[in-house]
Amino acid sequence: MLKVIVEKEIREILGSVKFVITFGACAVLILLSFYIGAANHKANVEQYNAAKAENTRQMEGLTSWMSLEQHRIFLPPQPLAALVTGSSNDVGRTIDVHRRSELAAVDSKFNEDPIYAVFRFLDLTFIFQIVLSLFAIMLGYDAICGEKERGTLRLSFANPVPRATYILGKLLGSFITLVTALLIAILLSCLILPLLGVSLTGDEWIRLAAIIGTGLLYFGVFLTLSVFVSSRTHRTSSAFLALLVIWVVSVLIVPRSATLLAGRAVDVPSIDELAAQKTSFSRQLWTEYRDAMGSFSAPKDIDPHDMMTHFNKFMDSLSTEREAKMKVFSDRLNEDRFNRQVVQQKFAFNVARVSPAASMNLAAANLAGTSIGLKNRFHETAMEYRKVFGDFIREKTGMNLGGGMIYVEINDDGEKPDPIDPSELPVYTYSPKPLMASFSAAFVDIGILALFNLIFFVGAFVSFIRYDVR
Amino acid sequence: MLITLIEKELKAILQSPKFVATFAVCSLLMLLSVFIGIKEFQAQQKQYDVAVSLSEQGIQESTSWRGMSYKAYRKPDPMQIFVSGLTNDIGRWSHISQESSVKLRNSVYSDDPIFSVFRFIDFAFIVQVVLSLFAILFTYDAICGERENGTLKLLFSNAIKRSHYIIAKCVGSWLGLVVPIMIPILLSVLMVIAFGISLEGSDWLKLFGLMSMSIFLFTFFIVLGVFISSLTRRSNISFLFALVIWVTFVLIIPRAGVMAAGQILPVPRVAEIEGQRDAFAKDKWAIFNEKSMARWDSYNQNTSEDSDSSCGSNFVFDENELWEHMQKEDSARKIVEREIEAYETRLQEDLQQRKSGQERLAFSLSRFSPSSAYQLAAMTLAGTDINLKSRNIEVMNNYRTQFNNYVDNKISETNDLSGVFMIEISSDDGVKMNNKRDEQTIDASDMPKYIPAKSSMRQSIDALIIDGGLLGLFIILAFAGAFLRMQKYDVR
Amino acid sequence: MSENILTIEKPRLEAINLTKRYRDGVLALDNISFSVQPGEIFVMLGGNGAGKTTTINLFLNFIEPTEGEARIDGIITHKDPLAAKERVSFVSENVMLYGDFTAVQNLDYFSRIGGQSEYTKDDYRDALLRVNLAEEAHHKKLRGFSKGMRQKCGIAIAILKGAPAILLDEPTSGLDPKAGHDFIHLLKSLQKEGKSILMSTHDIFRAKAIADTIAIMNNGRIIMLKKSSELAGCNLEELYMQYMTGHDGQRLAG
Ligand SMILES: Nc1ncnc2c1ncn2[C@@H]1O[C@H](COP(=O)(O)OP(=O)(O)OP(=O)(O)O)[C@@H](O)[C@H]1O
Ligand SMILES: [Mg+2]
């Protein structure tokens, strides 16, 4: 019996105009999103390489590491970030590590090319979020009440069909058909990546698979939800009205409102306030240390050459001291801000998770490594790198970072000094969050999606058992 | 007759159970969005005030003209309550100083990426997404639904002109939907007043323009729904069409247009521009250094000749001459600096031109969708459009020139050497460090004031004409489509 | 000769060589001609798919004839549909009205559409009572109405329009026996007012009871056209069966 119903459902879906249209539109959009993702990734890689090359080029011809004025590191583009942009377009991609003060990432894509920010990005998660859910609604809204309107439901139940079997068959049939169809479309689209020369590592393929899985789970939520609503209404027009309202609210309104609500509820001091506090503190330090600076003296009969070294040492020791104080101060401020931000984020995300769209987005971003943590991760790796870089510079010049100085070495014999070799520089590598960590971060949201599936499935089942089929 | 038909459409909409639900949802969302907008604006305004006063305080507390820097902030515009546009994507401030060129930093989204996760909710978004969806929801079955119902047959068994019918459909639905929606629109404007947001005269005009554009977009989707319903015979098929078209118009075309333009007309990357500039600068400096070296040599020769002639102890004379030489060097250096700056300006201008070419293409492509026409117009009206960045940078650059001139003058006027470390090496005292920083703070009360950029009225009017006209055209097209289809529609 | 008839009595409804071939090739009407005079009730009988609804649709210009023409008061329906439709009321086989409107609202709307704007509430009440719709239903939304109740509203609308010709497509389907009975009386009284009535039905007995002329259709042709006076003594049901089987037999043989 179940088999008969499932078969009928599959045949009905595959043969319907509705399926052909929506699936066609869906498949085209998924394909488009993969294409755009691949094209953007390539553009980002080019930009990244150009930026890196420029950074090395500016060192060319320098004859001493002392005259290095800046050294920038760049966030390498990740292929998955092009599919799941997450916050990757908002996070600065460049950090100048040749400074003592706090690091700041600048040149976010949206700030540099605001044109992309006008209508935002067209990426895979966007297609999932908007199109898959609509697709599910369109295919599921009349599952029960539509059959009732057409009178076929009455006809079916004039036969000895158990209701449980019927609804199970319906849910299974539509789920199997639609998920299979989608999976085929998505897998075919995946082929675009290697075709356009975007190569993913094994690790990234696993992530991509998990992202697709999350998308399908999200699709399932809306499919079961539609059947559920359909089994609670008696007219198709009210079913899809209800569904569209739910859709608008949960996909478009709740996530946004949740973050804005969190922004109001949890107070996070603005960057400007922090900056001002830091500036005034550092000014205060300057005043304190000015006298100490004035007290520099060197042995009388010192060689001017050594004098410079002496002076540097002296200034270094002072600035190290000052920096230590400054660091304690700003660390405290930063940490405080960071902690508040974490509270704010938790608040926002937990509220937003009422909406499956939010869960899907969060899970996908975590899996792709473009979650909100991207900024911190880039920052942290940059700080670590600065340590290494600082050691390197100290080794080369005996000075601390940030000592911008015009250094002209004049050799008496007119020989040109050797230029520095940029390849000696320690290499900065950005590694995304490890796979397991990403998965465990996405776990909550995937779990929530699965739970939604289950709830609506049960809801549809129970409502249908009591459904008035007349 | 026409009146009867229109009346019926009105009644049908107002009496349908879905009307109450959707109207409530729409109104709620609209008011919510404006409320959020007001709160955000107030917060940003406060932040701006604090930041500006801090920045001014910083100037007052500084003790040296050298290395003086000012932080210029973008001023929040009350119109962003309705259309947040790019305000959150673009940096809020820039250093104004001799050393660094103008660069906007710290956008809201990069400071607090949490807000970028799900983006913003504002009035324009609600109109663009929710209102358009509901417009379509009310009219997607205007004609095919009546056919399914059988009422179309009954209707056309009477002496009704098809043209009258279709006009009545559009006008009736329009009245039935637009008049009620005016209520939340007016309420949201009232809310702005109630929260004490002060709007200038031009803001009111812009607000009026924005609301008219919103109604225009809403009208388009109403007529589009009627058109779609005249294309099909079954309402569930037309529902499907309507949604697919809606998704394409509202969500796909705008984005795809920009992406396509990015592929068709790529612009040089920031790194490339910087590379060109640096290469140029490096060449210039190399030449300068060589010349400077030569000058130094000749100067040394001169002084050594002098000292030879006057037998040693003319230290004062020496110092003066050294000073003169250094000043000459300084002005030579300035010339080079200026050259480099000019070159960079040229590069930037070139980049800007290509960027605006790309923008034009992108926006032309995306204007195939009425909702992007709406969004572009809304952003321009609110001054949160793509020019927000260039507009601010331009004003800041102008200010930077003023500022730098002012500081230069001050430095030469006061002969300020504070902030410069002097390392004196004398054979008697050994090496001594002298830090001449003044205890006294400087008096910068006559410093030129920074006046933040404001969006121009002209651009708003242009946007209204272009995009408003475009929307009008779309409406006419949709209506013509519906009109023609209706002439041949099989009413059975 | 036809001129002769015209001068005697001008037919109100006229089908002249009406032929309709649908786009998919189905020949739904094959060159039929008939006329209905003022004060005449013309009943079409025939199996499912015989072409009855198609005929009525042609009179309403819902479809255009492939050949021939349908005329109302001499007006060719597909030439001047608006003028033609002013002269005709219509009740469809399954009356559907606006579900969110009450019965009275529906009546009001369709009367005005039909060109009658001076009716008062009382007129609507009277009309609905005349078709036997219980008074408590008058102000209820149509959504909950049964098929027969909708049918009654449809008939009320047709009466209110006051047009000289009335087209009825299986009007009695779904009416309860009493309503069916009353409906026959209603038609009779309309006939007395001089209306021409063209009606399709499957109800042979009622057809015989009221028809002035009976046409039996099959496969798009009128295979029998007789005045009720000619049918006086005979059993219509038997005759119908005869014609149908006979015709089928012929077709099979041919
Ligand atoms: N829109 C259409 N397209 C193609 N064929 C049609 C269409 N409408 C009707 N037909 C065909 O025309 C023929 C006559 O149909 P019609 O509806 O006139 O029959 P009817 O006499 O009213 O039948 P019933 O008693 O079942 O109402 C049928 O064979 C039918 O299949
Ligand atoms: Mg029929």
Side-chain angles (χ1 to χ4, degrees):
Chain A
M1 180 59 75
L2 188 64
K3 207 172 139 239
V4 177
I5 295 169
V6 171
E7 265 175 19
K8 172 246 152 194
E9 197 63 28
I10 293 176
R11 199 166 301 134
E12 195 187 356
I13 291 176
L14 291 181
S16 66
V17 186
K18 193 162 79 167
F19 174 76
V20 175
I21 296 176
T22 43
F23 180 69
C26 219
V28 168
L29 290 175
I30 289 175
L31 200 70
L32 183 71
S33 74
F34 270 91
Y35 173 75
I36 288 177
N40 265 310
H41 176 62
K42 278 169 68 182
N44 288 345
V45 168
E46 272 171 34
Q47 144 100 39
Y48 170 71
N49 286 336
K52 249 172 55 169
E54 161 57 18
N55 188 48
T56 326
R57 211 195 49 69
Q58 52 124 10
M59 297 178 192
E60 259 169 35
L62 294 185
T63 52
S64 161
W65 288 106
M66 231 187 258
S67 37
L68 190 64
E69 279 177 0
Q70 57 174 7
H71 174 42
R72 288 184 284 189
I73 57 170
F74 306 94
L75 182 63
Q78 310 284 328
L80 287 184
L83 291 173
V84 183
T85 49
S87 63
S88 63
N89 288 329
D90 299 290
V91 170
R93 293 167 296 177
T94 310
I95 295 182
D96 180 6
V97 289
H98 198 316
R99 54 212 315 242
R100 263 178 270 201
S101 53
E102 264 179 72
L103 297 183
V106 293
D107 294 344
S108 73
K109 180 156 182 141
F110 279 159
N111 189 30
E112 284 317 301
D113 295 316
I115 186 170
Y116 292 110
V118 175
F119 300 115
R120 304 283 158 207
F121 235 70
L122 188 65
D123 63 353
L124 186 66
T125 24
F126 174 77
I127 297 289
F128 275 178
Q129 182 187 340
I130 304 284
V131 181
L132 278 197
S133 51
L134 274 182
F135 180 46
I137 287 180
M138 287 198 259
L139 288 159
Y141 80 93
D142 60 352
I144 309 291
C145 56
E147 287 223 34
K148 176 177 169 152
E149 266 184 356
R150 271 175 287 151
T152 45
L153 202 58
R154 240 189 312 183
L155 205 57
S156 298
F157 283 102
N159 299 301
V161 184
R163 286 191 178 212
T165 318
Y166 189 84
I167 182 75
L168 264 177
K170 224 171 162 60
L171 282 166
L172 282 182
S174 44
F175 209 87
I176 292 169
T177 330
L178 299 175
V179 167
T180 316
L182 274 179
L183 209 54
I184 292 172
I186 294 174
L187 291 182
L188 284 180
S189 309
C190 282
L191 285 182
I192 280 201
L193 296 178
L195 279 181
L196 287 183
V198 177
S199 59
L200 300 186
T201 61
D203 176 276
E204 282 164 341
W205 279 115
I206 296 174
R207 286 167 192 265
L208 183 58
I211 291 169
I212 292 169
T214 312
L216 292 178
L217 214 51
Y218 172 72
F219 174 74
V221 173
F222 275 91
L223 190 65
T224 45
L225 172 71
S226 318
V227 178
F228 173 54
V229 171
S230 185
S231 67
R232 298 223 53 102
T233 48
H234 294 276
R235 276 167 43 213
T236 49
S237 56
S238 32
F240 73 66
L241 183 70
L243 280 168
L244 275 189
V245 171
I246 295 176
W247 183 81
V248 165
V249 171
S250 70
V251 173
L252 300 171
I253 309 296
V254 169
R256 290 159 197 254
S257 318
T259 41
L260 291 170
L261 186 70
R264 294 272 126 266
V266 182
D267 194 35
V268 174
S270 77
I271 289 272
D272 304 331
E273 272 170 60
L274 254 61
Q277 284 180 17
K278 286 173 195 165
T279 321
S280 77
F281 185 73
S282 93
R283 197 171 277 142
Q284 196 184 319
L285 278 179
W286 260 106
T287 333
E288 279 172 24
Y289 274 79
R290 197 167 47 219
D291 298 338
M293 282 178 197
S295 70
F296 174 73
S297 64
K300 224 172 157 188
D301 47 352
I302 195 163
D303 185 309
H305 226 88
D306 289 342
M307 197 278 300
M308 208 54 212
T309 332
H310 264 275
F311 176 63
N312 278 340
K313 267 210 188 108
F314 172 73
M315 288 302 269
D316 264 358
S317 69
L318 281 188
S319 63
T320 323
E321 229 180 283
R322 211 173 54 230
E323 261 160 41
K325 284 190 187 169
M326 189 67 216
K327 190 166 180 309
V328 171
F329 181 78
S330 47
D331 276 358
R332 191 167 47 78
L333 283 184
N334 289 345
E335 204 179 297
D336 181 50
R337 182 166 200 270
F338 182 74
N339 288 341
R340 279 162 184 265
Q341 269 185 325
V342 169
V343 174
Q344 194 184 44
Q345 279 164 24
K346 277 210 182 111
F347 186 119
F349 291 165
N350 286 339
V351 175
R353 281 186 176 117
V354 174
S355 143
S359 292
M360 195 276 291
N361 261 318
L362 293 174
N366 269 321
L367 288 168
T370 52
S371 65
I372 190 165
L374 177 67
K375 184 185 174 189
N376 287 329
R377 196 168 173 80
F378 183 34
H379 232 260
E380 275 162 19
T381 52
M383 301 236 269
E384 273 161 32
Y385 177 74
R386 179 168 64 173
K387 272 196 207 115
V388 179
F389 175 65
D391 291 345
F392 171 80
I393 289 293
R394 201 166 303 117
E395 186 192 305
K396 288 282 176 192
T397 65
M399 285 170 68
N400 278 339
L401 288 181
M405 131 159 344
I406 298 168
Y407 180 88
V408 186
E409 195 175 28
I410 304 162
N411 285 6
D412 291 336
D413 45 13
E415 238 178 69
K416 280 233 163 200
D418 287 336
I420 56 169
D421 178 11
S423 67
E424 280 178 49
L425 276 172
V427 180
Y428 168 73
T429 48
Y430 175 82
S431 60
K433 226 180 188 176
L435 192 62
M436 280 327 285
S438 298
F439 267 95
S440 63
F443 182 74
V444 185
D445 290 301
I446 295 178
I448 288 177
L449 288 178
L451 189 69
F452 269 122
N453 266 301
L454 190 68
I455 291 174
F456 293 137
F457 187 92
V458 172
F461 190 85
V462 172
S463 310
F464 188 70
I465 298 291
R466 303 214 202 100
Y467 195 70
D468 181 0
V469 298
R470 281 169 300 135
Chain B
M1 186 61 65
L2 200 55
I3 304 288
T4 317
L5 285 167
I6 292 175
E7 230 174 73
K8 177 247 145 191
E9 289 306 326
L10 254 176
K11 243 195 262 170
I13 285 179
L14 297 181
Q15 284 187 1
S16 73
K18 68 179 166 187
F19 177 76
V20 181
T22 45
F23 177 69
V25 171
C26 276
S27 312
L28 209 73
L29 289 179
M30 246 185 226
L31 294 177
L32 177 76
S33 74
V34 174
F35 178 72
I36 289 174
I38 290 174
K39 283 288 160 202
E40 283 302 308
F41 171 71
Q42 283 177 335
Q44 285 191 15
Q45 180 78 44
K46 212 172 107 198
Q47 192 180 346
Y48 169 78
D49 289 341
V50 172
V52 167
S53 69
L54 283 174
S55 167
E56 246 135 48
Q57 195 185 331
I59 293 282
Q60 277 163 20
E61 282 174 3
S62 59
T63 51
S64 155
W65 289 108
R66 273 179 210 283
M68 184 142 128
S69 100
Y70 179 72
K71 276 179 167 186
Y73 282 83
R74 220 155 38 74
K75 189 176 186 335
D77 186 323
M79 282 297 286
Q80 80 186 47
I81 291 173
F82 294 94
V83 193
S84 61
L86 295 183
T87 35
N88 293 326
D89 295 286
I90 289 176
R92 287 176 294 120
W93 63 275
S94 166
H95 277 302
I96 304 285
S97 69
Q98 305 251 2
E99 293 87 36
S100 48
S101 53
V102 168
K103 178 165 196 133
L104 290 172
R105 292 157 190 277
N106 290 68
S107 72
V108 173
Y109 281 158
S110 70
D111 279 354
D112 296 301
I114 183 176
F115 295 113
S116 76
V117 175
F118 303 116
R119 304 282 159 206
F120 215 71
I121 192 169
D122 59 14
F123 180 82
F125 172 80
I126 299 288
V127 170
Q128 217 190 337
V129 174
V130 182
L131 223 53
S132 63
L133 191 61
F134 286 146
I136 277 203
L137 205 59
F138 271 97
T139 51
Y140 79 94
D141 63 349
I143 293 166
C144 57
E146 284 220 45
R147 187 202 68 80
E148 274 180 340
N149 231 350
T151 44
L152 204 58
K153 252 198 304 192
L154 189 55
L155 191 78
F156 280 110
S157 73
N158 294 302
I160 299 288
K161 279 205 192 117
R162 289 181 178 228
S163 53
H164 278 187
Y165 175 74
I166 193 77
I167 291 171
K169 261 285 170 222
C170 293
V171 173
S173 324
W174 190 81
L175 285 176
L177 293 172
V178 167
V179 173
I181 222 66
M182 294 302 287
I183 298 169
I185 287 185
L186 290 179
L187 277 181
S188 49
V189 173
L190 281 182
M191 199 148 88
V192 171
I193 299 172
F195 272 91
I197 309 289
S198 63
L199 294 175
E200 297 167 16
S202 66
D203 287 339
W204 283 111
L205 276 178
K206 288 176 187 170
L207 195 55
F208 181 74
L210 176 66
M211 295 309 171
S212 323
M213 288 298 282
S214 307
I215 300 283
F216 258 49
L217 185 74
F218 192 46
T219 309
F220 168 74
F221 277 99
I222 292 172
V223 181
L224 180 71
V226 176
F227 176 44
I228 292 171
S229 80
S230 74
L231 288 175
T232 56
R233 309 200 22 85
R234 275 167 46 209
S235 61
N236 55 358
I237 295 293
S238 96
F239 173 57
L240 200 73
F241 270 141
L243 273 191
V244 170
I245 291 176
W246 179 82
V247 167
T248 317
F249 271 168
V250 176
L251 301 168
I252 308 297
I253 293 182
R255 292 157 198 248
V258 173
M259 304 277 149
Q263 300 276 317
I264 298 168
L265 281 185
V267 295
R269 306 191 172 76
V270 182
E272 283 168 31
I273 297 286
E274 278 175 1
Q276 278 175 330
R277 191 212 46 209
D278 284 0
F280 182 81
K282 196 158 268 178
D283 284 353
K284 285 284 164 194
W285 284 127
I287 296 170
F288 169 80
N289 281 341
E290 229 159 74
K291 281 187 183 160
S292 151
M293 209 76 81
R295 279 195 295 266
W296 176 248
D297 284 347
S298 75
Y299 165 79
N300 263 349
Q301 249 155 32
N302 281 343
T303 42
S304 50
E305 274 164 24
D306 283 354
S307 51
D308 278 352
S309 62
S310 53
C311 297
S313 58
N314 45 2
F315 185 70
V316 180
F317 172 71
D318 253 356
E319 196 173 55
N320 278 342
E321 205 156 79
L322 178 65
W323 184 242
E324 211 169 279
H325 173 81
M326 271 167 68
Q327 263 178 339
K328 267 190 209 149
E329 279 302 284
D330 202 39
S331 55
R333 176 181 294 275
K334 284 243 164 71
I335 292 172
V336 177
E337 266 169 16
R338 234 161 265 149
E339 268 178 65
I340 293 171
E341 214 157 281
Y343 182 74
E344 192 187 356
T345 322
R346 226 167 334 127
L347 280 182
Q348 289 293 348
E349 266 167 19
D350 184 48
L351 176 71
Q352 212 49 51
Q353 232 159 34
R354 297 182 57 178
K355 268 196 177 173
S356 58
Q358 192 192 43
E359 272 160 32
R360 265 199 303 278
L361 178 66
F363 294 157
S364 314
L365 287 179
S366 51
R367 277 193 174 103
F368 275 104
S369 147
S371 54
S372 22
Y374 169 75
Q375 190 173 346
L376 291 173
M379 282 169 143
T380 311
L381 284 169
T384 53
D385 54 323
I386 183 131
N387 294 325
L388 178 66
K389 188 178 171 189
S390 51
R391 192 166 56 228
N392 276 286
I393 286 187
E394 197 186 317
V395 172
M396 285 176 183
N397 267 328
N398 289 343
Y399 179 69
R400 182 170 170 237
T401 323
Q402 274 183 332
F403 179 85
N404 284 351
N405 285 341
Y406 170 77
V407 173
D408 276 349
N409 277 342
K410 279 288 174 187
I411 290 176
S412 58
E413 239 173 58
T414 56
N415 211 345
D416 183 9
L417 282 180
S418 59
V420 176
F421 290 112
M422 296 272 281
I423 304 167
E424 292 164 20
I425 310 174
S426 83
S427 44
D428 299 332
D429 308 332
V431 181
K432 217 175 168 233
M433 235 285 293
N434 189 8
N435 165 16
K436 276 207 183 169
R437 185 175 283 245
D438 219 336
E439 295 282 338
Q440 222 71 66
T441 55
I442 52 172
D443 174 28
S445 54
D446 55 347
M447 194 176 88
K449 264 219 131 8
Y450 175 67
I451 298 156
K454 183 111 177 76
S455 68
S456 79
M457 197 63 207
R458 236 191 68 89
Q459 271 183 337
S460 302
I461 291 170
D462 284 353
L464 271 181
I465 291 171
I466 295 174
D467 290 311
L470 205 59
L471 277 184
L473 185 71
F474 274 117
I475 294 172
I476 291 172
L477 283 181
F479 180 76
F483 192 87
L484 291 179
R485 283 290 308 175
M486 191 61 218
Q487 299 307 315
K488 299 222 151 59
Y489 197 79
D490 186 350
V491 301
R492 286 169 307 139
Chain C
M1 187 180 143
S2 66
E3 230 170 64
N4 202 14
I5 289 173
L6 267 174
T7 49
I8 297 165
E9 210 167 0
K10 215 165 126 198
R12 183 155 280 150
L13 298 171
E14 228 179 337
I16 302 168
N17 302 330
L18 263 186
T19 303
K20 176 68 192 178
R21 188 184 286 279
Y22 282 109
R23 224 175 296 158
D24 54 8
V26 177
L27 187 61
L29 277 188
D30 188 2
N31 195 17
I32 64 163
S33 304
F34 63 86
S35 63
V36 186
Q37 307 296 333
E40 179 181 355
I41 299 182
F42 187 102
V43 177
M44 293 184 284
L45 290 173
N48 295 127
K52 303 182 293 294
T53 303
T54 304
T55 310
I56 290 178
N57 281 345
L58 282 166
F59 273 100
L60 289 163
N61 193 45
F62 287 166
I63 46 180
E64 294 204 357
T66 316
E67 260 164 58
E69 56 200 37
R71 294 184 182 192
I72 301 174
D73 278 343
I75 301 163
I76 301 171
T77 53
H78 65 273
K79 292 271 163 62
D80 190 356
L82 291 189
K85 286 182 204 176
E86 275 173 17
R87 295 170 167 74
V88 61
S89 302
F90 168 60
V91 180
S92 68
E93 41 199 312
N94 188 4
V95 175
M96 296 296 286
L97 297 168
Y98 293 108
D100 287 325
F101 283 7
T102 64
V104 169
Q105 277 176 331
N106 268 301
L107 253 58
D108 179 49
Y109 171 60
F110 281 106
S111 306
R112 284 165 189 240
I113 285 301
Q116 306 280 3
S117 44
E118 9 354 291
Y119 286 131
T120 61
K121 285 223 158 64
D122 289 340
D123 294 322
Y124 297 134
R125 202 183 55 132
D126 292 346
L128 286 171
L129 289 176
R130 195 170 169 198
V131 294
N132 278 319
L133 187 72
E135 198 163 359
E136 64 262 23
H138 292 188
H139 292 282
K140 284 209 179 112
K141 284 199 176 183
L142 230 83
R143 185 144 340 267
F145 278 26
S146 72
K147 185 176 182 230
M149 286 160 84
R150 288 199 311 264
Q151 208 72 17
K152 286 173 183 172
C153 291
I155 295 164
I157 288 172
I159 297 170
L160 284 170
K161 186 171 177 184
I166 303 179
L167 307 180
L168 303 146
D169 198 356
E170 293 174 36
T172 50
S173 69
L175 293 188
D176 60 59
K178 173 162 187 314
H181 175 84
D182 292 345
F183 179 65
I184 297 299
H185 279 276
L186 187 69
L187 283 189
K188 290 258 186 220
S189 68
L190 288 171
Q191 180 185 24
K192 289 213 183 77
E193 290 169 25
K195 314 255 183 217
S196 307
I197 295 169
L198 172 65
M199 167 175 145
S200 85
T201 185
H202 292 299
D203 188 337
I204 294 175
F205 304 102
R206 290 235 162 82
K208 196 179 172 203
I210 55 165
D212 295 315
T213 313
I214 289 183
I216 298 182
M217 295 179 72
N218 193 9
N219 271 330
R221 297 212 184 111
I222 297 183
I223 53 176
M224 187 212 87
L225 182 71
K226 289 212 161 93
K227 294 272 169 219
S228 55
S229 51
E230 297 173 58
L231 294 167
C234 62
N235 182 341
L236 188 57
E237 191 175 17
E238 251 167 45
L239 196 67
Y240 180 83
M241 292 307 161
Q242 260 175 27
Y243 270 102
M244 296 305 277
T245 48
H247 197 86
D248 271 357
Q250 267 173 27
R251 203 183 56 172
L252 283 174

